């Protein structure tokens, strides 16, 4: 158990250090997220009432695309320098090691979006209840995006130009998250209960935490064989 914990935190620390050494790559998804949201008032309409209506969809689509944008390098560096092969040969369970990489990915991509969301909610004139719901759905939904996306990345890591295939594989799996998250934020803004949507998202997250590590490990073994 100590060996597994040491390997887990070693991979987590290594990925975080690599991310902070490449601050440009670290900032790209966040800037992408910020630019998409801020362009909507300029490109659609600055009308506060219209922005209030479309804000849940705008912010969540931007979060989804930013997560997709950041995923391609999740295993690419390890594949190129041979670290991924060492992980597969490690005596520690591969499913536990990949969770460390997914956690590092969420900390450098999902968490900053979560912190930035209140500012964007203010920019799009969202009511306070909707802004709270947005934070809650992002807190549950962004780890889901990382977990689901990691499966697609693991399947395409051996391909030189797997970006389009990755998008085609992952986007359909993101749709339930997008639907229930935006519905929850819109319902909160209208003063309606959102427990059902949040329970569904939480159930999806629990399912992904249980099954995704096994699926990611299996996909990596297939890609490396």
């Amino acid at each position: 158990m100590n060996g597994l914990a040491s390997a887990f935190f070693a991979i987590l620390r290594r990925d975080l250090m690599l991310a902070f050494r490449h601050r440009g790559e670290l900032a790209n998804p966040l800037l992408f997220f910020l630019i998409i949201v801020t362009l909507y008032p300029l490109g659609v309409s600055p009308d506060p009432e219209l922005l209030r209506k479309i804000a849940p969809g705008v912010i969540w689509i931007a979060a989804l695309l930013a997560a997709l944008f950041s995923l391609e390098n999740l295993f690419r560096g390890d594949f190129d320098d041979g670290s991924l092969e060492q992980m597969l040969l490690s005596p520690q369970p591969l499913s536990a090691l990949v969770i460390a990489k997914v956690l590092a990915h969420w900390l450098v991509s999902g968490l900053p979006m979560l912190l930035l969301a209140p500012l964007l909610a203010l920019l799009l004139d969202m009511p306070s209840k909707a802004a709270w719901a947005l934070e809650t759905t992002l807190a549950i939904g962004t780890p889901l995006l990382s977990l689901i996306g990691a499966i697609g990345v693991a399947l395409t890591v051996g391909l030189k130009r797997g970006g389009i295939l990755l998008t085609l594989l992952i986007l359909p799996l993101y749709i339930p998250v997008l639907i229930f998250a935006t519905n929850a934020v819109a319902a909160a803004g209208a003063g309606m209960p959102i427990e059902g949507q949040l329970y569904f998202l939480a159930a999806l997250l629990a399912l992904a935490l249980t099954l995704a590590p096994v699926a990611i490990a299996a996909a990596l073994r297939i890609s490396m064989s």
Side-chain angles (χ1 to χ4, degrees):
M1 186 65 185
N2 288 336
L4 176 58
S6 298
F8 180 92
F9 286 110
I11 291 175
L12 178 62
R13 185 169 58 251
R14 171 181 174 271
D15 278 19
L16 290 176
M17 287 175 64
L18 286 173
F20 283 105
R21 282 180 184 172
H22 301 89
R23 291 187 178 86
E25 294 180 12
L26 181 67
N28 284 344
L30 194 60
L31 288 174
F32 187 70
F33 176 61
L34 182 64
I35 289 170
I36 291 177
V37 176
T38 52
L39 283 179
Y40 264 86
L42 301 174
V44 180
S45 168
D47 179 25
E49 189 173 346
L50 177 62
L51 290 177
R52 208 175 299 126
K53 284 182 182 176
I54 65 173
V58 169
I59 295 178
W60 253 101
I61 288 173
L64 189 150
L65 293 176
L68 194 61
F69 182 64
S70 66
L71 275 169
E72 194 169 354
N73 294 327
L74 181 57
F75 295 117
R76 174 60 61 187
D78 295 324
F79 178 79
D80 291 339
D81 66 14
S83 302
L84 191 56
E85 194 170 355
Q86 295 301 314
M87 285 175 60
L88 264 67
L89 295 173
S90 166
Q92 308 300 338
L94 182 58
S95 55
L97 302 182
V98 295
I99 280 293
K101 294 192 67 65
V102 174
L103 176 59
H105 173 266
W106 180 78
L107 288 173
V108 299
S109 63
L111 185 60
M113 287 194 282
L114 192 63
L115 299 176
L116 192 60
L119 179 64
L120 298 179
L122 189 64
L123 175 71
L124 297 179
D125 199 31
M126 293 178 71
S128 58
K129 286 183 179 178
W132 175 86
L134 175 67
E135 280 292 290
T136 308
T137 54
L138 284 172
I140 302 172
T142 48
L144 257 173
L145 299 183
S146 295
L147 285 164
I148 295 171
I151 301 172
V153 178
L155 282 171
T156 58
V157 69
L159 304 176
K160 288 186 178 177
R161 295 181 179 178
I164 296 176
L165 180 59
L166 174 65
T167 304
L168 293 175
L169 283 173
I170 294 176
L171 275 181
L173 300 176
Y174 280 173
I175 290 175
V177 183
L178 178 66
I179 291 173
F180 281 90
T182 54
N183 185 266
V185 180
M192 298 170 63
I194 60 169
E195 286 82 1
Q197 295 93 324
L198 294 183
Y199 288 153
F200 184 84
L201 288 173
L204 281 181
L205 179 58
L207 190 65
L209 282 170
T210 307
L211 298 180
V214 179
I216 297 166
L220 285 174
R221 288 197 173 92
I222 292 170
S223 296
M224 297 294 288
S225 62

Short mmCIF file of all heavy atoms in Angstrom, two decimals, residues 6-62:
data_model
loop_
_atom_site.label_atom_id
_atom_site.label_comp_id
_atom_site.label_asym_id
_atom_site.label_seq_id
_atom_site.Cartn_x
_atom_site.Cartn_y
_atom_site.Cartn_z
N SER A 6 3.13 5.88 -2.69
CA SER A 6 4.34 6.62 -3.12
C SER A 6 4.33 6.82 -4.63
O SER A 6 4.65 7.91 -5.12
CB SER A 6 5.60 5.84 -2.71
OG SER A 6 5.66 5.71 -1.33
N ALA A 7 3.97 5.75 -5.38
CA ALA A 7 3.93 5.86 -6.85
C ALA A 7 2.86 6.85 -7.29
O ALA A 7 3.07 7.67 -8.20
CB ALA A 7 3.67 4.49 -7.46
N PHE A 8 1.69 6.81 -6.62
CA PHE A 8 0.59 7.70 -6.96
C PHE A 8 1.01 9.17 -6.78
O PHE A 8 0.85 9.99 -7.70
CB PHE A 8 -0.61 7.37 -6.06
CG PHE A 8 -1.82 8.22 -6.32
CD1 PHE A 8 -2.80 7.81 -7.22
CD2 PHE A 8 -2.00 9.43 -5.66
CE1 PHE A 8 -3.92 8.59 -7.46
CE2 PHE A 8 -3.11 10.23 -5.90
CZ PHE A 8 -4.07 9.79 -6.80
N PHE A 9 1.58 9.48 -5.61
CA PHE A 9 1.93 10.88 -5.34
C PHE A 9 3.16 11.31 -6.15
O PHE A 9 3.31 12.50 -6.47
CB PHE A 9 2.15 11.10 -3.85
CG PHE A 9 0.85 11.10 -3.08
CD1 PHE A 9 0.53 10.06 -2.22
CD2 PHE A 9 -0.07 12.13 -3.24
CE1 PHE A 9 -0.67 10.04 -1.53
CE2 PHE A 9 -1.28 12.12 -2.56
CZ PHE A 9 -1.58 11.08 -1.70
N ALA A 10 4.04 10.36 -6.48
CA ALA A 10 5.19 10.70 -7.33
C ALA A 10 4.71 11.11 -8.73
O ALA A 10 5.20 12.09 -9.30
CB ALA A 10 6.14 9.51 -7.41
N ILE A 11 3.75 10.37 -9.28
CA ILE A 11 3.22 10.71 -10.61
C ILE A 11 2.45 12.03 -10.55
O ILE A 11 2.59 12.89 -11.44
CB ILE A 11 2.33 9.57 -11.14
CG1 ILE A 11 3.19 8.35 -11.46
CG2 ILE A 11 1.54 10.01 -12.37
CD1 ILE A 11 2.40 7.13 -11.86
N LEU A 12 1.66 12.20 -9.50
CA LEU A 12 0.90 13.45 -9.35
C LEU A 12 1.85 14.65 -9.26
O LEU A 12 1.65 15.67 -9.95
CB LEU A 12 0.03 13.36 -8.10
CG LEU A 12 -0.82 14.58 -7.76
CD1 LEU A 12 -1.81 14.88 -8.87
CD2 LEU A 12 -1.54 14.39 -6.43
N ARG A 13 2.88 14.54 -8.42
CA ARG A 13 3.84 15.63 -8.24
C ARG A 13 4.60 15.90 -9.54
O ARG A 13 4.79 17.06 -9.93
CB ARG A 13 4.81 15.29 -7.11
CG ARG A 13 5.78 16.41 -6.76
CD ARG A 13 6.54 16.12 -5.48
NE ARG A 13 7.29 14.88 -5.54
CZ ARG A 13 7.00 13.77 -4.88
NH1 ARG A 13 5.94 13.74 -4.08
NH2 ARG A 13 7.73 12.68 -4.98
N ARG A 14 5.01 14.84 -10.23
CA ARG A 14 5.75 15.00 -11.50
C ARG A 14 4.90 15.72 -12.54
O ARG A 14 5.37 16.65 -13.21
CB ARG A 14 6.16 13.63 -12.01
CG ARG A 14 6.74 13.61 -13.41
CD ARG A 14 7.08 12.17 -13.80
NE ARG A 14 7.50 12.09 -15.19
CZ ARG A 14 6.66 11.91 -16.20
NH1 ARG A 14 5.37 11.83 -15.97
NH2 ARG A 14 7.11 11.84 -17.43
N ASP A 15 3.64 15.31 -12.68
CA ASP A 15 2.78 15.93 -13.70
C ASP A 15 2.50 17.40 -13.37
O ASP A 15 2.45 18.25 -14.27
CB ASP A 15 1.46 15.16 -13.82
CG ASP A 15 1.61 13.95 -14.72
OD1 ASP A 15 2.75 13.51 -14.93
OD2 ASP A 15 0.58 13.45 -15.21
N LEU A 16 2.33 17.70 -12.08
CA LEU A 16 2.09 19.10 -11.69
C LEU A 16 3.33 19.95 -11.94
O LEU A 16 3.23 21.08 -12.43
CB LEU A 16 1.68 19.17 -10.21
CG LEU A 16 0.29 18.60 -9.87
CD1 LEU A 16 0.04 18.65 -8.37
CD2 LEU A 16 -0.80 19.37 -10.61
N MET A 17 4.51 19.39 -11.65
CA MET A 17 5.75 20.14 -11.89
C MET A 17 5.96 20.38 -13.39
O MET A 17 6.34 21.48 -13.80
CB MET A 17 6.95 19.37 -11.32
CG MET A 17 7.01 19.40 -9.80
SD MET A 17 8.35 18.39 -9.14
CE MET A 17 9.76 19.25 -9.79
N LEU A 18 5.68 19.35 -14.20
CA LEU A 18 5.82 19.52 -15.65
C LEU A 18 4.85 20.57 -16.17
O LEU A 18 5.19 21.38 -17.05
CB LEU A 18 5.56 18.17 -16.36
CG LEU A 18 6.67 17.13 -16.23
CD1 LEU A 18 6.22 15.80 -16.83
CD2 LEU A 18 7.93 17.63 -16.95
N ALA A 19 3.62 20.56 -15.62
CA ALA A 19 2.62 21.53 -16.07
C ALA A 19 3.07 22.96 -15.73
O ALA A 19 2.95 23.87 -16.56
CB ALA A 19 1.28 21.22 -15.42
N PHE A 20 3.62 23.16 -14.54
CA PHE A 20 4.02 24.51 -14.14
C PHE A 20 5.31 24.96 -14.83
O PHE A 20 5.58 26.16 -14.91
CB PHE A 20 4.14 24.60 -12.62
CG PHE A 20 2.80 24.70 -11.94
CD1 PHE A 20 2.26 23.61 -11.29
CD2 PHE A 20 2.05 25.87 -12.00
CE1 PHE A 20 1.01 23.67 -10.69
CE2 PHE A 20 0.80 25.94 -11.39
CZ PHE A 20 0.27 24.85 -10.75
N ARG A 21 6.10 23.99 -15.30
CA ARG A 21 7.29 24.38 -16.07
C ARG A 21 6.91 24.86 -17.46
O ARG A 21 7.62 25.65 -18.06
CB ARG A 21 8.24 23.18 -16.19
CG ARG A 21 9.05 22.94 -14.94
CD ARG A 21 9.95 21.75 -15.11
NE ARG A 21 10.67 21.44 -13.89
CZ ARG A 21 11.40 20.36 -13.72
NH1 ARG A 21 11.54 19.50 -14.72
NH2 ARG A 21 12.01 20.14 -12.57
N HIS A 22 5.79 24.38 -17.98
CA HIS A 22 5.30 24.81 -19.29
C HIS A 22 4.06 25.68 -19.09
O HIS A 22 2.94 25.27 -19.37
CB HIS A 22 4.98 23.60 -20.17
CG HIS A 22 6.16 22.70 -20.39
ND1 HIS A 22 6.48 21.66 -19.54
CD2 HIS A 22 7.12 22.72 -21.36
CE1 HIS A 22 7.57 21.05 -19.99
NE2 HIS A 22 7.99 21.67 -21.08
N ARG A 23 4.29 26.86 -18.55
CA ARG A 23 3.16 27.72 -18.16
C ARG A 23 2.33 28.15 -19.36
O ARG A 23 1.14 28.40 -19.24
CB ARG A 23 3.66 28.95 -17.40
CG ARG A 23 4.23 28.63 -16.03
CD ARG A 23 4.56 29.88 -15.25
NE ARG A 23 5.06 29.57 -13.92
CZ ARG A 23 6.32 29.31 -13.63
NH1 ARG A 23 7.22 29.31 -14.59
NH2 ARG A 23 6.70 29.03 -12.40
N GLY A 24 2.98 28.25 -20.53
CA GLY A 24 2.23 28.64 -21.73
C GLY A 24 1.17 27.62 -22.06
O GLY A 24 0.00 27.95 -22.29
N GLU A 25 1.57 26.33 -22.04
CA GLU A 25 0.62 25.26 -22.31
C GLU A 25 -0.43 25.18 -21.21
O GLU A 25 -1.58 24.83 -21.47
CB GLU A 25 1.35 23.92 -22.43
CG GLU A 25 2.29 23.84 -23.63
CD GLU A 25 3.01 22.51 -23.71
OE1 GLU A 25 2.62 21.59 -22.98
OE2 GLU A 25 3.96 22.41 -24.50
N LEU A 26 -0.01 25.50 -19.99
CA LEU A 26 -0.94 25.47 -18.85
C LEU A 26 -2.03 26.52 -19.00
O LEU A 26 -3.21 26.29 -18.69
CB LEU A 26 -0.16 25.70 -17.56
CG LEU A 26 -0.93 25.68 -16.24
CD1 LEU A 26 -1.43 24.28 -15.97
CD2 LEU A 26 -0.04 26.16 -15.11
N ALA A 27 -1.65 27.69 -19.52
CA ALA A 27 -2.60 28.80 -19.62
C ALA A 27 -3.51 28.69 -20.85
O ALA A 27 -4.60 29.28 -20.86
CB ALA A 27 -1.84 30.12 -19.66
N ASN A 28 -3.08 27.94 -21.86
CA ASN A 28 -3.86 27.90 -23.11
C ASN A 28 -5.32 27.49 -22.93
O ASN A 28 -6.22 28.17 -23.43
CB ASN A 28 -3.16 26.98 -24.13
CG ASN A 28 -1.95 27.64 -24.74
OD1 ASN A 28 -1.80 28.86 -24.66
ND2 ASN A 28 -1.08 26.85 -25.34
N PRO A 29 -5.62 26.36 -22.25
CA PRO A 29 -7.04 25.98 -22.10
C PRO A 29 -7.86 27.02 -21.34
O PRO A 29 -9.01 27.28 -21.67
CB PRO A 29 -6.97 24.66 -21.32
CG PRO A 29 -5.60 24.15 -21.56
CD PRO A 29 -4.73 25.35 -21.69
N LEU A 30 -7.22 27.63 -20.32
CA LEU A 30 -7.94 28.64 -19.53
C LEU A 30 -8.24 29.88 -20.38
O LEU A 30 -9.34 30.45 -20.32
CB LEU A 30 -7.12 29.01 -18.30
CG LEU A 30 -7.85 29.79 -17.21
CD1 LEU A 30 -9.03 28.99 -16.68
CD2 LEU A 30 -6.90 30.15 -16.09
N LEU A 31 -7.26 30.30 -21.17
CA LEU A 31 -7.48 31.45 -22.06
C LEU A 31 -8.53 31.12 -23.11
O LEU A 31 -9.37 31.96 -23.45
CB LEU A 31 -6.16 31.84 -22.74
CG LEU A 31 -5.12 32.52 -21.86
CD1 LEU A 31 -3.82 32.71 -22.61
CD2 LEU A 31 -5.65 33.86 -21.36
N PHE A 32 -8.48 29.91 -23.61
CA PHE A 32 -9.49 29.45 -24.58
C PHE A 32 -10.89 29.54 -23.97
O PHE A 32 -11.83 30.05 -24.59
CB PHE A 32 -9.14 28.00 -24.96
CG PHE A 32 -9.96 27.44 -26.07
CD1 PHE A 32 -9.82 27.90 -27.37
CD2 PHE A 32 -10.88 26.42 -25.83
CE1 PHE A 32 -10.57 27.36 -28.40
CE2 PHE A 32 -11.62 25.88 -26.84
CZ PHE A 32 -11.48 26.34 -28.13
N PHE A 33 -11.01 29.05 -22.74
CA PHE A 33 -12.28 29.10 -22.00
C PHE A 33 -12.76 30.54 -21.83
O PHE A 33 -13.92 30.88 -22.10
CB PHE A 33 -12.06 28.43 -20.65
CG PHE A 33 -13.22 28.47 -19.70
CD1 PHE A 33 -14.43 27.88 -20.02
CD2 PHE A 33 -13.09 29.08 -18.46
CE1 PHE A 33 -15.50 27.91 -19.13
CE2 PHE A 33 -14.15 29.11 -17.57
CZ PHE A 33 -15.35 28.52 -17.91
N LEU A 34 -11.83 31.40 -21.43
CA LEU A 34 -12.16 32.80 -21.19
C LEU A 34 -12.55 33.52 -22.49
O LEU A 34 -13.54 34.27 -22.53
CB LEU A 34 -10.95 33.49 -20.54
CG LEU A 34 -11.09 34.95 -20.16
CD1 LEU A 34 -12.15 35.11 -19.09
CD2 LEU A 34 -9.76 35.51 -19.66
N ILE A 35 -11.80 33.25 -23.57
CA ILE A 35 -12.06 33.95 -24.84
C ILE A 35 -13.41 33.56 -25.42
O ILE A 35 -14.17 34.41 -25.90
CB ILE A 35 -10.91 33.66 -25.83
CG1 ILE A 35 -9.64 34.38 -25.39
CG2 ILE A 35 -11.29 34.09 -27.24
CD1 ILE A 35 -8.41 33.97 -26.16
N ILE A 36 -13.72 32.25 -25.38
CA ILE A 36 -15.01 31.80 -25.94
C ILE A 36 -16.17 32.52 -25.25
O ILE A 36 -17.09 33.03 -25.89
CB ILE A 36 -15.17 30.28 -25.80
CG1 ILE A 36 -14.19 29.56 -26.73
CG2 ILE A 36 -16.60 29.86 -26.14
CD1 ILE A 36 -14.23 28.06 -26.59
N VAL A 37 -16.12 32.56 -23.91
CA VAL A 37 -17.23 33.17 -23.16
C VAL A 37 -17.31 34.67 -23.41
O VAL A 37 -18.40 35.23 -23.62
CB VAL A 37 -17.08 32.87 -21.65
CG1 VAL A 37 -18.18 33.58 -20.86
CG2 VAL A 37 -17.13 31.38 -21.39
N THR A 38 -16.16 35.34 -23.43
CA THR A 38 -16.18 36.80 -23.59
C THR A 38 -16.54 37.22 -25.01
O THR A 38 -16.98 38.36 -25.22
CB THR A 38 -14.82 37.42 -23.21
OG1 THR A 38 -13.79 36.74 -23.92
CG2 THR A 38 -14.57 37.30 -21.73
N LEU A 39 -16.37 36.32 -25.99
CA LEU A 39 -16.72 36.67 -27.37
C LEU A 39 -18.23 36.67 -27.61
O LEU A 39 -18.72 37.32 -28.53
CB LEU A 39 -16.04 35.72 -28.36
CG LEU A 39 -14.56 35.98 -28.64
CD1 LEU A 39 -14.03 34.95 -29.63
CD2 LEU A 39 -14.32 37.38 -29.16
N TYR A 40 -18.96 35.90 -26.79
CA TYR A 40 -20.40 35.81 -27.02
C TYR A 40 -21.12 37.16 -26.93
O TYR A 40 -21.93 37.49 -27.80
CB TYR A 40 -21.03 34.80 -26.05
CG TYR A 40 -21.18 33.44 -26.68
CD1 TYR A 40 -20.14 32.54 -26.67
CD2 TYR A 40 -22.36 33.06 -27.33
CE1 TYR A 40 -20.25 31.28 -27.26
CE2 TYR A 40 -22.48 31.82 -27.93
CZ TYR A 40 -21.43 30.94 -27.88
OH TYR A 40 -21.55 29.70 -28.48
N PRO A 41 -20.86 37.97 -25.89
CA PRO A 41 -21.54 39.29 -25.86
C PRO A 41 -21.20 40.15 -27.06
O PRO A 41 -22.01 40.95 -27.51
CB PRO A 41 -21.03 39.91 -24.55
CG PRO A 41 -20.60 38.76 -23.72
CD PRO A 41 -20.09 37.73 -24.69
N LEU A 42 -19.97 39.98 -27.59
CA LEU A 42 -19.56 40.78 -28.75
C LEU A 42 -20.18 40.24 -30.04
O LEU A 42 -20.57 41.01 -30.92
CB LEU A 42 -18.03 40.78 -28.88
CG LEU A 42 -17.25 41.32 -27.67
CD1 LEU A 42 -15.76 41.13 -27.88
CD2 LEU A 42 -17.56 42.80 -27.48
N GLY A 43 -20.26 38.93 -30.16
CA GLY A 43 -20.72 38.33 -31.40
C GLY A 43 -22.22 38.13 -31.49
O GLY A 43 -22.78 38.11 -32.59
N VAL A 44 -22.89 37.94 -30.36
CA VAL A 44 -24.34 37.67 -30.37
C VAL A 44 -25.11 38.94 -30.05
O VAL A 44 -25.79 39.50 -30.91
CB VAL A 44 -24.69 36.55 -29.37
CG1 VAL A 44 -26.20 36.27 -29.38
CG2 VAL A 44 -23.93 35.27 -29.72
N SER A 45 -25.00 39.37 -28.83
CA SER A 45 -25.70 40.60 -28.42
C SER A 45 -25.26 40.96 -26.99
O SER A 45 -25.07 40.07 -26.16
CB SER A 45 -27.21 40.37 -28.45
OG SER A 45 -27.88 41.44 -27.81
N PRO A 46 -25.11 42.25 -26.70
CA PRO A 46 -24.79 42.64 -25.31
C PRO A 46 -26.04 42.77 -24.43
O PRO A 46 -25.93 43.21 -23.28
CB PRO A 46 -24.11 44.01 -25.50
CG PRO A 46 -24.72 44.56 -26.75
CD PRO A 46 -25.06 43.39 -27.63
N ASP A 47 -27.21 42.41 -24.97
CA ASP A 47 -28.47 42.53 -24.21
C ASP A 47 -28.39 41.65 -22.95
O ASP A 47 -28.27 40.42 -23.06
CB ASP A 47 -29.63 42.09 -25.10
CG ASP A 47 -30.95 42.16 -24.35
OD1 ASP A 47 -31.05 42.95 -23.41
OD2 ASP A 47 -31.87 41.39 -24.71
N PRO A 48 -28.49 42.23 -21.75
CA PRO A 48 -28.36 41.43 -20.51
C PRO A 48 -29.37 40.30 -20.40
O PRO A 48 -29.05 39.22 -19.91
CB PRO A 48 -28.58 42.48 -19.41
CG PRO A 48 -28.28 43.79 -20.04
CD PRO A 48 -28.67 43.65 -21.47
N GLU A 49 -30.61 40.55 -20.86
CA GLU A 49 -31.63 39.50 -20.74
C GLU A 49 -31.28 38.29 -21.60
O GLU A 49 -31.42 37.13 -21.17
CB GLU A 49 -32.99 40.06 -21.16
CG GLU A 49 -34.13 39.11 -20.85
CD GLU A 49 -35.48 39.75 -21.13
OE1 GLU A 49 -35.55 40.98 -21.28
OE2 GLU A 49 -36.46 39.00 -21.20
N LEU A 50 -30.80 38.55 -22.83
CA LEU A 50 -30.41 37.45 -23.72
C LEU A 50 -29.19 36.72 -23.16
O LEU A 50 -29.14 35.48 -23.15
CB LEU A 50 -30.10 38.00 -25.12
CG LEU A 50 -29.61 36.96 -26.13
CD1 LEU A 50 -30.67 35.89 -26.38
CD2 LEU A 50 -29.21 37.63 -27.44
N LEU A 51 -28.22 37.49 -22.66
CA LEU A 51 -27.01 36.86 -22.11
C LEU A 51 -27.36 35.98 -20.91
O LEU A 51 -26.78 34.91 -20.73
CB LEU A 51 -26.01 37.94 -21.69
CG LEU A 51 -25.36 38.71 -22.84
CD1 LEU A 51 -24.44 39.80 -22.30
CD2 LEU A 51 -24.57 37.78 -23.74
N ARG A 52 -28.32 36.45 -20.10
CA ARG A 52 -28.74 35.68 -18.92
C ARG A 52 -29.32 34.33 -19.36
O ARG A 52 -29.11 33.31 -18.69
CB ARG A 52 -29.76 36.49 -18.13
CG ARG A 52 -29.79 36.19 -16.65
CD ARG A 52 -30.74 37.13 -15.93
NE ARG A 52 -30.32 38.51 -16.06
CZ ARG A 52 -31.11 39.50 -16.51
NH1 ARG A 52 -32.36 39.24 -16.87
NH2 ARG A 52 -30.66 40.73 -16.58
N LYS A 53 -30.05 34.33 -20.47
CA LYS A 53 -30.69 33.09 -20.95
C LYS A 53 -29.67 32.10 -21.50
O LYS A 53 -29.77 30.90 -21.28
CB LYS A 53 -31.72 33.42 -22.04
CG LYS A 53 -33.02 34.01 -21.53
CD LYS A 53 -33.98 34.25 -22.68
CE LYS A 53 -35.26 34.88 -22.17
NZ LYS A 53 -36.18 35.22 -23.30
N ILE A 54 -28.69 32.60 -22.25
CA ILE A 54 -27.76 31.69 -22.92
C ILE A 54 -26.52 31.39 -22.08
O ILE A 54 -25.72 30.52 -22.45
CB ILE A 54 -27.32 32.24 -24.29
CG1 ILE A 54 -26.51 33.54 -24.13
CG2 ILE A 54 -28.52 32.47 -25.20
CD1 ILE A 54 -25.91 34.04 -25.43
N ALA A 55 -26.37 32.09 -20.95
CA ALA A 55 -25.15 31.95 -20.15
C ALA A 55 -24.84 30.51 -19.74
O ALA A 55 -23.68 30.08 -19.86
CB ALA A 55 -25.23 32.85 -18.92
N PRO A 56 -25.81 29.71 -19.24
CA PRO A 56 -25.45 28.33 -18.83
C PRO A 56 -24.85 27.52 -19.98
O PRO A 56 -23.82 26.87 -19.80
CB PRO A 56 -26.80 27.75 -18.38
CG PRO A 56 -27.64 28.92 -18.03
CD PRO A 56 -27.23 30.01 -18.95
N GLY A 57 -25.48 27.60 -21.15
CA GLY A 57 -24.97 26.85 -22.30
C GLY A 57 -23.62 27.37 -22.76
O GLY A 57 -22.72 26.58 -23.08
N VAL A 58 -23.46 28.69 -22.78
CA VAL A 58 -22.20 29.29 -23.25
C VAL A 58 -21.04 28.86 -22.36
O VAL A 58 -19.99 28.40 -22.85
CB VAL A 58 -22.32 30.83 -23.25
CG1 VAL A 58 -20.96 31.48 -23.46
CG2 VAL A 58 -23.30 31.29 -24.32
N ILE A 59 -21.21 28.99 -21.05
CA ILE A 59 -20.10 28.67 -20.14
C ILE A 59 -19.79 27.18 -20.16
O ILE A 59 -18.63 26.76 -20.17
CB ILE A 59 -20.42 29.16 -18.71
CG1 ILE A 59 -20.49 30.69 -18.70
CG2 ILE A 59 -19.36 28.67 -17.72
CD1 ILE A 59 -20.83 31.30 -17.36
N TRP A 60 -20.84 26.35 -20.22
CA TRP A 60 -20.59 24.91 -20.19
C TRP A 60 -19.99 24.41 -21.50
O TRP A 60 -19.12 23.54 -21.50
CB TRP A 60 -21.87 24.16 -19.84
CG TRP A 60 -21.77 23.64 -18.44
CD1 TRP A 60 -22.32 24.16 -17.32
CD2 TRP A 60 -20.99 22.51 -18.02
NE1 TRP A 60 -21.94 23.44 -16.22
CE2 TRP A 60 -21.14 22.42 -16.62
CE3 TRP A 60 -20.20 21.59 -18.67
CZ2 TRP A 60 -20.51 21.43 -15.88
CZ3 TRP A 60 -19.57 20.60 -17.93
CH2 TRP A 60 -19.73 20.52 -16.55
N ILE A 61 -20.42 24.96 -22.64
CA ILE A 61 -19.80 24.56 -23.91
C ILE A 61 -18.34 25.01 -23.94
O ILE A 61 -17.45 24.26 -24.39
CB ILE A 61 -20.59 25.16 -25.09
CG1 ILE A 61 -21.93 24.45 -25.24
CG2 ILE A 61 -19.79 25.04 -26.40
CD1 ILE A 61 -22.85 25.08 -26.26
N ALA A 62 -18.07 26.21 -23.43
CA ALA A 62 -16.68 26.68 -23.37
C ALA A 62 -15.84 25.77 -22.47
O ALA A 62 -14.69 25.45 -22.81
CB ALA A 62 -16.65 28.12 -22.85
#
